[in-house]
Amino acid sequence: MKKQLIYTAEDDESIKELICYALTNEGYDVMAFSDADILLSECEKRIPDLILLDIMMSGTDGIEALKIFRGKYKSAGTAIIMLTAKASEINKITGLDAGADDYITKPFSVLELMARIRANLRKKTISISNNEIKVNSIILNQESRIVLVGEKKIALTNKEFELLKFLMLSVGNVVERELLLKEIWGYEYFGETRTIDIHMKNLREKLGVAGEAIQSIRGIGYILIQEQI
């Protein structure tokens, strides 16, 4: 099986080495660059599956490199995650508006970074048509926010809907409770992880038999198992 290719542009040598080590251990092909200009030049030879871009770099910064890449390779389907020491909302919005798929603030844990990478790579391989995501017998429409199991419409709260959507986009991967809290309850949420367990219990009950595919991984989080056809 061909390994997925990841490029990273990071001018902090210690962080770059850490990222390379972690990605290589996870089985990815990795190419690391000290500035965005070299990364963009390498893209002319081979387009990666995912790019990790530091925002604050000398020369072409991460936001500008993101705009250049998205403008030049509109149909590439490459996932781009921004890395930055800046935690302000304006930097996050600027990156996402420019075409970033995700955003992570330094300092970050390697486990969280790997989870984000897996989730974003998975998004690129899931078949989404007419704004619908389908996993097993569950169909989720992102625009109408309607969820169907078979032909039965399932009434979910906003948080239950977002939990299900996150799990469906991460199907086959374990999602940590802390990551779910951060993504769905907000970056600065410091509530008990028990909140996740209660909402997940309600979600599984509402999904009925289809909810059995959502499994708890003790001490870590949850995973949505894709049924074998």
Side-chain angles (χ1 to χ4, degrees):
M1 182 178 178
K2 186 179 178 181
K3 292 182 179 180
Q4 290 173 302
L5 176 64
I6 296 177
Y7 288 173
T8 180
E10 170 61 63
D11 58 5
D12 185 311
E13 284 298 319
S14 61
I15 295 177
K16 185 170 69 175
E17 289 177 9
L18 175 64
I19 290 172
C20 288
Y21 179 79
L23 290 173
T24 301
N25 275 355
E26 287 287 318
Y28 298 110
D29 274 338
V30 186
M31 293 189 71
F33 311 97
S34 297
D35 65 69
D37 293 312
I38 301 175
L39 183 149
L40 290 171
S41 177
E42 195 65 33
C43 287
E44 296 178 6
K45 305 173 187 176
R46 185 179 174 190
I47 302 294
D49 297 289
L50 184 141
I51 295 174
L52 296 171
L53 268 180
D54 184 25
I55 288 184
M56 299 299 292
M57 289 184 287
S58 58
T60 303
D61 66 27
I63 296 294
E64 186 59 30
L66 169 64
K67 292 177 181 177
I68 293 171
F69 182 89
R70 288 301 190 210
K72 194 170 184 179
Y73 306 104
K74 291 183 175 68
S75 59
T78 298
I80 298 181
I81 300 176
M82 307 304 293
L83 305 175
T84 180
K86 291 188 173 182
S88 68
E89 191 68 18
I90 188 64
N91 285 298
K92 180 176 181 181
I93 292 171
T94 300
L96 295 175
D97 283 348
D101 294 277
D102 205 351
Y103 173 100
I104 187 168
T105 304
K106 302 174 187 176
F108 51 80
S109 73
V110 171
L111 287 176
E112 179 180 2
L113 179 62
M114 293 302 106
R116 295 288 190 95
I117 288 171
R118 288 192 297 269
N120 279 279
L121 286 172
R122 186 64 194 180
K123 288 178 187 177
K124 299 302 177 183
T125 60
I126 292 174
S127 176
I128 302 177
S129 60
N130 297 323
N131 218 26
E132 288 185 345
I133 310 169
K134 185 178 187 302
V135 176
N136 303 333
S137 60
I138 306 169
I139 299 174
L140 180 148
N141 188 296
Q142 300 179 84
E143 185 174 350
S144 67
R145 298 182 71 84
I146 289 175
V147 173
L148 300 174
V149 173
E151 297 182 358
K152 181 182 178 182
K153 186 176 178 179
I154 308 298
L156 300 178
T157 65
N158 286 335
K159 288 292 190 288
E160 289 165 355
F161 180 91
E162 294 301 329
L163 278 172
L164 179 60
K165 177 181 173 181
F166 202 100
L167 288 173
M168 291 177 76
L169 289 172
S170 306
V171 63
N173 294 310
V174 177
V175 182
E176 296 172 306
R177 287 182 176 83
E178 289 76 13
L179 182 57
L180 288 170
L181 283 171
K182 183 181 292 186
E183 293 296 319
I184 296 171
W185 272 263
Y187 192 81
E188 299 297 334
Y189 185 85
F190 294 100
E192 294 291 333
T193 55
R194 178 64 179 160
T195 301
I196 292 288
D197 299 329
I198 293 170
H199 280 78
M200 204 67 77
K201 178 177 180 292
N202 293 336
L203 173 60
R204 287 193 288 199
E205 288 177 353
K206 289 182 178 181
L207 293 174
V209 175
E212 295 176 3
I214 300 175
Q215 297 181 11
S216 174
I217 306 300
R218 186 176 179 85
I220 302 176
Y222 288 90
I223 183 171
L224 175 59
I225 303 294
Q226 190 161 31
E227 297 171 355
Q228 298 299 313
I229 300 174

